[in-house]
Amino acid sequence: MYSQNPYPQDYFANPLEIPIVLAGTFAELRSNHFHSGMDIKTQHRQGLNVLASAEGFVSRIKISPFGYGKALYITHPNGYTTVYAHLSKLAPKIESYLKEQQYDQESYGIELFPPIKALVLKKGELVAYSGNTGSSAGPHLHFEIRDKNEYPMNPMLFGINTKDTTRPLISGLYAYPISEDAQINKSNSKQPIRITKQADGNYIAESITAVGKIGFGIETIDRQDLANNKNGVYNIQTQFNGSTNFEIDFKTFSFYETNDINRLIDYDIYKTEKDKIQKLFIDTNNGLSLYKNTIDQGYLTITDSTSAVYKIKVSDFRDNESWVTIPIDGKLSQDILKKSLDVTPNYIYENQTSTIAEENVTVTFYKNTFYEDFFIDFKISNDTLQILPIGQAARKSFNITFDISKYNDADKEKLFIAELVGYKKWPKYSTTTRTANTLSTYTKSLGYYTIASDTIPPTITALNFKDEQWISNAETLNVKITDDLSGISDYRATINGKWILMEYEYKTNSLTYDFNDQISTEPHNDFKLIVTDNVGNSSTFEARFHRK
Ligand SMILES: [Zn+2]
């Protein structure tokens, strides 16, 4: 494998000064996307030095309270770009470049594309400090290598790797009848198949009976040696009676296709049971480029009175393998358990635009919103819309519009569309646009939507100062902001009328100003903060503090 590796080795170095231990691997299955880099553990700490993986220049800086948090992009002379995300801070010369722009634009969230010569870096130069900003569940460095077309690549291909002698673990197996006449274990619905781990570490499935066109799905993860994290595997191959008929390879993908992960996995099982079953066949309208060596899209055709063997090989990057062997008896059964079809009045054709309107709700599904045709369960009662099944994945967003003309004008302004999520149907703000008498949102999730009202403005609490207090020794100004329902949309803070940069961390509801920014050197300071929620309720906080 290494002899054929066309990717430069030793060009990119470990971006941290500690050995690589992985909390996440490339292309592992995340919610609605494949993981585009590797997550390197930072010993539960923030503030570790992050080094340029190779020489180059800073080509992009993106700062957001969400997603990658504080992220730095370095473009290298060989055309690749490396990405460093969830940073706590950038190295001094990059940080001062950033702050100047943030003060100029009066915004914490910002995206910059510095000129090629502005921030040139040597390999191994300090570029940032690791952190936990954005959508990060704990301190770590998210590290990516992208090719010149912005396709993320598995960093292991470039020699960035960790010790791994542990083979992938297989925790679930499903068999899927595909053709109308297909049967598995006397049923025409998908069947969980029991697997047993053998003494040699491989797996044997219970023998199944089947006939017709069928396929399989597997639940699998990989662990590396130095941590217990459940990470993604590198390659899955299948064999039918000794010949390879399907292969999926997690080397690279494009950001355009990443949402099609919902076609790779059994989305219904994912939404209802949280398990990620990867289908070992290429379902209709699956646009992923990860497949190769595939015969008949990975499907098997089983005929009556035959016997066959299907094998699955799961590998990690270090070629540790786990095998599953599934004996199949071709057997046509006369009386089978028929799948119950949930027939409803509304049928969606994936290749057509459909609009469903009832009472005060109109939902428009554009052409190709879904991967397949299906019966949709559409109900509306008391301003709550139910559109099911929740396990039907969407490729594109669709539109939901509520007519709110029955509400009085004062109430209308406080209304928004909420998705009711999870077991407790918790109302979650869905980005709402309004006209005089309508509320409208775009979403990719079937489920429950309602009209909600938020009349309560955000709360603002000063954490390390009080009005008229002397705080000469404070290094930062810390404020907590929360909103009960629609959520924080915007904030603006000033000292003595001058805009100050407050960094927003949504996970801790905190705003932080760094006195090193030296916006005021006066002893007496008037601090003012205005926070606005997503329907426009706003709160103003004012306090005077003193410093010498
Ligand atoms: Zn990551």
Side-chain angles (χ1 to χ4, degrees):
M1 181 173 111
Y2 290 97
S3 60
Q4 296 165 359
N5 191 335
Y7 308 102
Q9 306 296 299
D10 304 320
Y11 186 90
F12 295 109
N14 178 357
L16 293 176
E17 294 167 323
I18 54 169
I20 290 179
V21 180
L22 294 178
T25 51
F26 180 79
E28 70 180 28
L29 314 174
R30 298 279 174 92
S31 183
N32 302 317
H33 68 285
F34 295 98
H35 189 226
S36 52
M38 55 172 45
D39 285 344
I40 310 176
K41 291 168 86 95
T42 51
Q43 305 175 337
H44 310 288
R45 288 183 291 157
Q46 302 195 40
L48 302 193
N49 290 345
V50 176
L51 314 177
S53 181
E55 64 167 322
F57 67 95
V58 176
S59 52
R60 184 179 175 197
I61 301 168
K62 180 144 195 256
I63 309 294
S64 164
F66 313 104
Y68 281 15
K70 297 188 185 182
L72 184 71
Y73 297 68
I74 301 175
T75 296
H76 307 283
N78 66 354
Y80 288 94
T81 296
T82 50
V83 184
Y84 312 76
H86 310 303
L87 304 167
S88 61
K89 207 174 162 77
L90 306 180
K93 76 172 176 185
I94 312 172
E95 181 81 5
S96 64
Y97 177 90
L98 164 66
K99 283 219 167 167
E100 197 175 308
Q101 304 289 325
Q102 286 174 316
Y103 273 95
D104 205 50
Q105 296 187 23
E106 300 194 342
S107 176
Y108 170 56
I110 200 165
E111 184 171 22
L112 302 170
F113 299 91
I116 290 175
K117 294 267 164 66
L119 296 163
V120 175
L121 304 164
K122 291 197 271 293
K123 182 173 185 171
E125 186 173 339
L126 176 74
V127 293
Y129 303 93
S130 70
N132 187 35
T133 53
S135 309
S136 169
H140 74 279
L141 175 69
H142 171 98
F143 176 69
E144 277 179 35
I145 300 178
R146 296 184 185 179
D147 74 4
K148 59 179 186 301
N149 301 314
E150 287 279 313
Y151 278 45
M153 312 281 303
N154 191 330
M156 290 179 181
L157 294 164
F158 300 83
I160 310 272
N161 213 334
T162 186
K163 191 173 184 206
D164 189 0
T165 57
T166 314
R167 53 166 125 187
L169 196 80
I170 293 157
S171 48
L173 181 70
Y174 272 80
Y176 295 80
I178 304 294
S179 56
E180 285 286 306
D181 61 350
Q183 307 176 358
I184 292 160
N185 291 346
K186 295 187 173 184
S187 165
N188 69 351
S189 359
K190 67 186 170 198
Q191 300 291 315
I193 309 295
R194 239 192 327 266
I195 52 172
T196 313
K197 197 170 187 174
Q198 303 301 109
D200 68 359
N202 291 313
Y203 299 79
I204 293 192
E206 61 180 331
S207 156
I208 64 165
T209 62
V211 75
K213 188 169 163 182
I214 66 167
F216 287 88
I218 192 171
E219 183 179 45
T220 180
I221 56 115
D222 187 46
R223 285 193 173 95
Q224 281 75 42
D225 289 12
L226 303 174
N228 208 30
N229 298 70
K230 294 177 180 176
N231 297 335
V233 305
Y234 182 64
N235 181 282
I236 305 174
Q237 279 180 46
T238 69
Q239 291 176 2
F240 184 46
N241 291 334
S243 353
T244 299
N245 73 328
F246 174 92
E247 182 174 356
I248 183 162
D249 193 40
F250 296 106
K251 262 195 184 76
T252 182
F253 60 86
S254 90
F255 288 105
Y256 298 106
E257 65 186 276
T258 195
N259 185 247
D260 276 358
I261 188 172
N262 293 335
R263 198 57 171 159
L264 164 68
I265 61 168
D266 184 322
Y267 190 74
D268 180 51
I269 291 181
Y270 175 57
K271 292 302 277 187
T272 53
E273 291 160 44
K274 298 280 170 225
D275 299 327
K276 291 176 187 147
I277 312 293
Q278 305 188 50
K279 291 182 275 189
L280 304 174
F281 50 88
I282 309 173
D283 232 335
T284 49
N285 292 313
N286 177 337
L288 294 173
S289 62
L290 303 164
Y291 302 105
K292 54 189 197 186
N293 297 325
T294 296
I295 295 168
D296 197 16
Q297 311 287 84
Y299 295 117
L300 327 176
T301 301
I302 310 294
T303 44
D304 192 15
S305 309
T306 58
S307 75
V309 177
Y310 183 70
K311 289 189 179 205
I312 308 167
K313 180 178 85 168
V314 183
S315 325
D316 62 25
F317 191 83
R318 299 287 197 195
D319 290 333
N320 302 299
E321 299 172 355
S322 293
W323 288 79
V324 191
T325 301
I326 304 142
I328 305 171
D329 285 326
K331 190 168 179 230
L332 178 70
S333 303
Q334 292 313 325
D335 59 300
I336 66 158
L337 202 62
K338 288 269 189 203
K339 174 163 62 181
S340 63
L341 191 61
D342 295 321
V343 176
T344 69
N346 294 300
Y347 193 71
I348 302 291
Y349 293 94
E350 66 85 16
N351 64 355
Q352 292 174 17
T353 296
S354 340
T355 298
I356 309 176
E358 273 178 41
E359 296 187 25
N360 59 331
V361 182
T362 305
V363 181
T364 304
F365 302 105
Y366 306 96
K367 188 178 169 179
N368 305 131
T369 293
F370 297 100
Y371 292 98
E372 60 193 7
D373 306 341
F374 67 102
F375 283 105
I376 195 163
D377 176 9
F378 185 104
K379 282 192 192 82
I380 168 90
S381 76
N382 296 326
D383 282 343
T384 298
L385 167 69
Q386 165 183 313
I387 26 175
L388 302 175
I390 214 156
Q392 191 70 49
R395 288 193 267 185
K396 297 202 297 199
S397 296
F398 53 90
N399 180 267
I400 302 173
T401 298
F402 283 88
D403 185 304
I404 52 166
S405 45
K406 67 182 175 193
Y407 289 87
N408 71 46
D409 285 346
D411 294 341
K412 276 178 195 168
E413 293 188 355
K414 304 296 177 194
L415 302 179
F416 65 97
I417 299 177
E419 182 183 1
L420 300 173
V421 292
Y423 209 59
K424 292 187 169 167
K425 298 221 164 58
W426 205 256
K428 182 177 150 234
Y429 177 75
S430 185
T431 305
T432 305
T433 51
R434 55 179 66 245
T435 66
N437 285 313
T438 64
L439 299 176
S440 174
T441 192
Y442 285 90
T443 175
K444 276 184 184 168
S445 305
L446 292 179
Y448 303 86
Y449 292 85
T450 195
I451 298 177
S453 170
D454 184 358
T455 56
I456 303 168
T459 60
I460 303 174
T461 316
L463 295 179
N464 67 337
F465 63 101
K466 289 189 182 76
D467 192 30
E468 295 297 349
Q469 196 179 359
W470 282 85
I471 50 166
S472 303
N473 295 324
E475 289 176 9
T476 55
L477 211 51
N478 304 327
V479 178
K480 182 176 176 182
I481 59 171
T482 58
D483 187 69
D484 67 316
L485 203 51
S486 67
I488 307 286
S489 149
D490 217 355
Y491 63 91
R492 180 180 174 82
T494 55
I495 292 175
N496 297 336
K498 283 188 243 168
W499 185 83
I500 56 166
L501 172 62
M502 294 201 87
E503 301 195 346
Y504 178 40
E505 180 50 75
Y506 78 93
K507 302 191 290 294
T508 51
N509 301 308
S510 63
L511 288 179
T512 308
Y513 166 68
D514 186 343
F515 279 114
N516 290 319
D517 290 358
Q518 298 197 313
I519 295 314
S520 164
T521 46
E522 303 285 311
H524 308 296
N525 295 281
D526 290 315
F527 172 75
K528 184 175 179 183
L529 172 65
I530 303 170
V531 182
T532 310
D533 69 17
N534 277 304
V535 298
N537 299 303
S538 84
S539 297
T540 302
F541 174 91
E542 286 178 280
R544 166 168 283 207
F545 63 85
H546 312 281
R547 279 169 74 84
K548 58 177 173 221

